[in-house]
Amino acid sequence: LEGRVRAHLAEWFGEGAVGGWEHLATYRIPYAQPVQTPPNKAGFEKDVDLGAGIVLCGDHRGTSTLNGAIESGRRAAATVLERLGVE
């Protein structure tokens, strides 16, 4: 794993920079993300607009990943802007 990560980072920062970096630790965290086994017939994306002025965001509104959290934030912001009449 360390070798693959170093190779990938070397593509970004150059071998000269990465070669001098010290690997401190690797942590394997079981169950860090909930099971999201495909196919998911219900879909991962949940509505961010709950009505009554409540708009939610977070990874629980999409895939349980950082990308899912960011995407739900974008959807929530778009919902709020739409409600405020801002384009």
Side-chain angles (χ1 to χ4, degrees), residues 5-87:
V5 171
R6 283 184 178 278
H8 191 82
L9 291 173
E11 292 175 13
W12 293 356
F13 302 105
E15 184 60 44
V18 175
W21 293 353
E22 178 186 354
H23 175 252
L24 299 178
T26 299
Y27 297 96
R28 298 189 188 279
I29 303 170
Y31 311 109
Q33 292 181 309
V35 174
Q36 300 179 83
T37 307
N40 181 350
K41 292 179 182 166
F44 292 111
E45 193 172 292
K46 296 179 182 75
D47 199 352
V48 296
D49 186 351
L50 300 186
I54 300 171
V55 179
L56 293 177
C57 64
D59 65 351
H60 61 286
R61 306 316 292 167
T63 58
S64 296
T65 63
L66 181 57
N67 287 345
I70 292 168
E71 177 57 30
S72 75
R74 286 184 180 137
R75 291 187 291 124
T79 298
V80 170
L81 291 172
E82 181 180 318
R83 282 190 183 169
L84 295 173
V86 177
E87 293 184 23

